[in-house]
Amino acid sequence: MKDTKESSLKLSDLFDELQETINKSPFNSPDNPEDGGDETNGAFRDGAAVSELFDMINSKNTDVPDFTGGEPDGRSRKSSPVESFMSRGREDIYRNEDVKETREEITKIRETEDFEISGVMDDSDDSGETDDIDLELLKAIGIGKASGYYPVGEKENDRTPGKKNPREAKERGKSRGDVSPAEKSKTRLTPIHQISNREYSGSGQVQELFASYRRVCRSEFAKFAVSLILFLILLYMETAPYIGFLPVPNVLNIDFYTLPYIYVNLQLLLIAAALNLKPLIYGALSAAKSNINVYSMSCLFFILAFAHTMLTLYMRDNGLGIALYNSTAVYAMLLSGLYNILDMNSEITSLKTISSKKLKYAVSLNSAVRAENSAYYSSPELETELFRDIFPSGAFSGGIFKTQFISNFFSRTNRNKTLGGSLKYFVYTALFAAAVLLAFYALFYQPHERNWYGFLSSAAVLLLGSLPLCSFITEVYPAFKAQKQARMSGAAFIGAESLRESAETKIISLYDNNIFPSEQVKISGIKVYGNNRIDSVLQNLCVIFDKLNMPPADTFKASTNFDGGFNQNIKISGIDDNGICYDANGQKLFLGTVEYISNMGLTPQYDANFDDPFVKSSGSIMILSSETEIIAKVYIKYEITSDFHDIIKNIKKINACLCIRTFDPNINDALISKLGNIKKYPIRVLKLKNPGDIQLAPERVDSPVVSRESVKSLVGAVSIAVRTRSIIKNNGLIRAVAFGCGIILAAALGFTGHLWGVNAGHLFLFQSFWMLPVILMQGVTN
């Protein structure tokens, strides 16, 4: 007993030391309780690691990690009390009867913290459970730095223990895919295929995600193939009795062996339902939440077919002709499987594009979805004002950026994935029409004339025939074709809403570097005046070009030995349309056009024999001066990229406008018009005045459309989105016409008493007929 008490006291002291170590860890700052390490490097929050620690201590697993092996680089170091405790072995721990009480005490402490493990992502390679636990425990006890894991772009001396970094916390929220409560309420409705329960955070997940997609796709193809076979059998069984030349086995003769016929037919329906159980359940749950989508229609068709089959089973003895419609229900299940396959294919294409190691081009929208990108696209209202005469009420603008990582992949692919739109109005209208038809039968038929089996069959046929099954492909098929078309140029759409968001973007905003890359900017000559040195002139030019990230920056850097520390003391005093005023190492300088310098009272020298021909050949002349003298004259030539004309042609096709954002005094509407002969295109140059609008390359962007190739590819994808949205709208009209024709035809047959003479073959032909315009519309529009 004495040994037990001593062991208990030592164990309690060790756990106190463990808790103190965690509290002092820079990964568990009290000022920043959410500071759990950057998830992109595989770190869990400290609470998760502590939980794993206790689970290991109390489990029977003898594979205890050894923390006494020294530093990762092989150097030995003194073991901490926590490490010594972990290396003792398990025997003394299990002999201690107070372990349970100690665990409960620490658990109470742990419960007071905010451990939201489900929101944390891991970008590590899940090669083994033990290795993952080792990493989490290392981070939990405060020696995570020894393993070299730091947030992306962070150095060791950048972290101050106990100090909150708002920018860092914001970036961690992005990598977790944190969204507002309104967005969370949308994404909690789990889609049919939940590929991952965590947000995409990096290339470490790609192999696992593609394996999951392949597994789901194989399953969907297998179910689709079996459902197709069942559908063909049912369609033959339910059509052959009404077509004299089609043979039917005697045992399935509907007139003589009614009971076997119904049982076999019902069995095939139930098998198909079992294969598609998840979509049917999801459809029922969605309908219960007033979200009638394609899965809800599939579920409704199954319920109607099953109920009608049971009705036929119990009313078959009245000598009336019977008909079953189970093939129509399986047809709906088959189309839901096709819907899944097309949707999954689009997601796989998106993942392939965003997981590319190349720098990607992405669009940041000035709407709710671009809130996280506001640090990199701070003034989209400038574009709105610039094109106010074209879009008086304003328009969405999309800024194009280069980025390494596309965030919120699963948030986008899951958002509004299965919304049905107008489907609920079709369902409610059809149900009301069926009720009216039954009321008509009950009121206008005499009791001896009433055939309730025929009446109920008519109501079922009205619902099965009027609700348009083309709804399953009116949106997903055009989206699939759009994704396929965009993929050919290296672009991809992300999520069901991406087409709408891209199509609504009426102002596409580029930075000047996208139109005039550094290789397209040439220095034709430099004239230095007075006692100024050429190397000092080049440094002063480099510093301002580099500071504002203007197109000539790389060109000037390449022409001189640019000193990166030269611009540390630069301060921009003012930016005008034609020039820039800045202080460089205590000297006030002005860089701009000839007109800008002339307005300051200085007179630049003019060489008519050289300057006139140079300007006429689309060259630009810049003047560098101080407050009292002209320092240098710079001759620069800009050339647009070969993709520029394709970009503006695509923009014109979609009735959008192109905005070129620039700080460069030389780049203006006149230069663009002279170089590109683009008077008939809606292109304008936006002169930036705020240094905060400088072009940046954000680490991550939340974007509906991405390209790993070029701006041309990205703008082409936006053009595809506009055309596809037009196709989807036309398909919506086709769907409405199909529903209207179905209701009218069913009502006409119902009120004349001929509706129960309709068989499954008629329903199949009617429903399939409306598929053709949807498919043909895609080819005609493209």
Side-chain angles (χ1 to χ4, degrees), residues 236-286:
Y236 188 88
M237 286 181 60
E238 295 173 357
T239 306
Y242 308 100
I243 302 177
F245 59 88
L246 293 178
V248 179
N250 291 331
V251 71
L252 296 179
N253 190 306
I254 193 172
D255 295 323
F256 298 101
Y257 298 98
T258 307
L259 189 60
Y261 175 86
I262 295 175
Y263 278 146
V264 171
N265 197 295
L266 179 61
Q267 188 67 30
L268 295 175
L269 173 66
L270 294 177
I271 293 174
L275 287 173
N276 297 274
L277 185 60
K278 189 174 182 179
L280 293 176
I281 293 176
Y282 181 75
L285 294 176
S286 299

Side-chain angles (χ1 to χ4, degrees), residues 166-218:
R167 172 84 174 184
E168 182 184 38
K170 181 180 178 181
E171 292 299 322
R172 277 194 301 276
K174 296 174 188 176
S175 64
R176 287 197 304 269
D178 290 348
V179 293
S180 63
E183 290 296 328
K184 286 183 178 180
S185 64
K186 294 180 181 178
T187 58
R188 281 175 184 166
L189 189 61
T190 306
I192 286 298
H193 298 295
Q194 185 72 32
I195 299 300
S196 177
N197 59 0
R198 56 183 177 175
E199 185 54 272
Y200 174 74
S201 60
S203 58
Q205 295 173 263
V206 171
Q207 186 175 359
E208 175 187 352
L209 291 175
F210 279 128
S212 299
Y213 274 116
R214 284 194 298 269
R215 185 167 55 252
V216 172
C217 285
R218 289 194 193 104

Side-chain angles (χ1 to χ4, degrees), residues 61-106:
N61 181 9
T62 59
D63 297 331
V64 182
D66 184 8
F67 292 90
T68 60
E71 295 288 339
D73 58 4
R75 295 175 295 165
S76 62
R77 61 181 178 84
K78 185 177 180 180
S79 300
S80 68
V82 175
E83 294 167 344
S84 300
F85 160 72
M86 292 302 297
S87 62
R88 283 179 199 167
R90 309 287 296 265
E91 298 178 0
D92 292 340
I93 297 176
Y94 283 114
R95 285 199 300 266
N96 192 327
E97 298 177 356
D98 294 329
V99 170
K100 182 177 180 181
E101 296 179 4
T102 306
R103 174 185 169 85
E104 292 176 352
E105 179 180 353
I106 302 300

Side-chain angles (χ1 to χ4, degrees), residues 269 297-311 325-326 329 431 434 456 459-465 467:
L269 173 66
M297 282 187 61
S298 180
C299 181
L300 176 61
F301 273 53
F302 167 72
I303 292 173
L304 288 171
F306 179 79
H308 181 262
T309 302
M310 299 306 296
L311 178 71
Y325 307 102
N326 292 333
L431 289 173
L456 294 172
V461 171
L462 185 147
L463 292 169
L464 294 172
L467 292 175

Side-chain angles (χ1 to χ4, degrees), residues 449-659:
E449 296 176 334
R450 290 174 184 167
N451 174 9
W452 285 109
Y453 175 75
F455 294 167
L456 294 172
S457 296
S458 298
V461 171
L462 185 147
L463 292 169
L464 294 172
S466 63
L467 292 175
L469 290 182
C470 63
S471 301
F472 283 85
I473 64 171
T474 52
E475 294 190 21
V476 73
Y477 180 67
F480 165 76
K481 296 292 287 186
Q483 188 76 293
K484 185 177 180 181
Q485 190 175 356
R487 182 180 59 188
M488 295 175 64
S489 61
F493 301 101
I494 304 175
E497 290 292 291
S498 61
L499 292 171
R500 179 190 60 79
E501 291 173 357
S502 301
E504 289 178 354
T505 304
K506 292 301 182 183
I507 303 173
I508 296 178
S509 180
L510 304 174
Y511 275 91
D512 46 14
N513 287 310
N514 299 124
I515 304 299
F516 303 104
S518 58
E519 61 270 16
Q520 301 292 108
V521 180
K522 311 296 181 183
I523 303 175
S524 299
I526 299 177
K527 292 183 179 180
V528 180
Y529 300 98
N531 296 324
N532 297 286
R533 296 171 48 184
I534 184 64
D535 58 338
S536 177
V537 169
L538 289 174
Q539 292 288 347
N540 282 316
L541 291 172
C542 282
V543 71
I544 188 61
F545 288 136
D546 183 63
K547 182 69 175 180
L548 295 177
N549 198 11
M550 291 190 286
D554 291 336
T555 303
F556 274 87
K557 285 181 183 179
S559 64
T560 184
N561 186 18
F562 178 58
D563 181 7
F566 189 83
N567 66 344
Q568 290 183 352
N569 298 323
I570 186 173
K571 180 179 179 182
I572 297 176
S573 303
I575 302 176
D576 293 335
D577 288 351
N578 298 320
I580 303 168
C581 174
Y582 64 103
D583 296 325
N585 295 324
Q587 184 181 15
K588 192 169 187 178
L589 300 174
F590 301 87
L591 178 67
T593 63
V594 174
E595 292 78 10
Y596 177 74
I597 301 300
S598 298
N599 290 335
M600 294 171 47
L602 299 176
T603 304
Q605 293 185 9
Y606 185 73
D607 185 353
N609 294 328
F610 185 80
D611 290 0
D612 283 343
F614 184 77
V615 172
K616 290 179 180 179
S617 63
S618 301
S620 300
I621 300 176
M622 298 187 75
I623 306 296
L624 177 66
S625 76
S626 65
E627 293 180 286
T628 58
E629 66 171 341
I630 302 296
I631 296 176
K633 181 187 289 187
V634 185
Y635 296 87
I636 304 177
K637 273 199 171 183
Y638 297 81
E639 296 179 6
I640 59 177
T641 63
S642 57
D643 293 339
F644 182 68
H645 285 285
D646 292 327
I647 291 173
I648 59 178
K649 285 178 182 177
N650 279 324
I651 287 176
K652 185 179 181 182
K653 285 180 183 178
I654 61 178
N655 295 321
C657 300
L658 177 65
C659 174

Side-chain angles (χ1 to χ4, degrees), residues 611-753:
D611 290 0
D612 283 343
F614 184 77
V615 172
K616 290 179 180 179
S617 63
S618 301
S620 300
I621 300 176
M622 298 187 75
I623 306 296
L624 177 66
S625 76
S626 65
E627 293 180 286
T628 58
E629 66 171 341
I630 302 296
I631 296 176
K633 181 187 289 187
V634 185
Y635 296 87
I636 304 177
K637 273 199 171 183
Y638 297 81
E639 296 179 6
I640 59 177
T641 63
S642 57
D643 293 339
F644 182 68
H645 285 285
D646 292 327
I647 291 173
I648 59 178
K649 285 178 182 177
N650 279 324
I651 287 176
K652 185 179 181 182
K653 285 180 183 178
I654 61 178
N655 295 321
C657 300
L658 177 65
C659 174
I660 302 175
R661 298 162 67 94
T662 185
F663 290 99
D664 195 325
N666 294 319
I667 300 176
N668 50 36
D669 293 332
L671 177 66
I672 299 296
S673 179
K674 188 184 300 182
L675 293 175
N677 190 21
I678 51 173
K679 294 181 180 179
K680 58 182 179 180
Y681 297 109
I683 302 175
R684 295 177 184 176
V685 174
L686 175 62
K687 290 289 190 175
L688 300 175
K689 306 295 180 61
N690 182 4
D693 292 326
I694 186 174
Q695 180 186 17
L696 299 175
E699 292 183 3
R700 57 184 68 241
V701 173
D702 178 7
S703 175
V705 58
V706 180
S707 172
R708 59 185 178 186
E709 297 296 334
S710 62
V711 174
K712 171 185 172 182
S713 171
L714 187 67
V715 175
V718 174
S719 175
I720 292 171
V722 173
R723 294 199 305 269
T724 304
R725 287 298 298 174
S726 176
I727 293 171
I728 291 175
K729 290 180 180 179
N730 292 335
N731 288 347
L733 179 61
I734 293 172
R735 182 173 62 178
V737 171
F739 175 69
C741 291
I743 284 287
I744 294 172
L745 183 60
L749 294 175
F751 288 124
T752 57

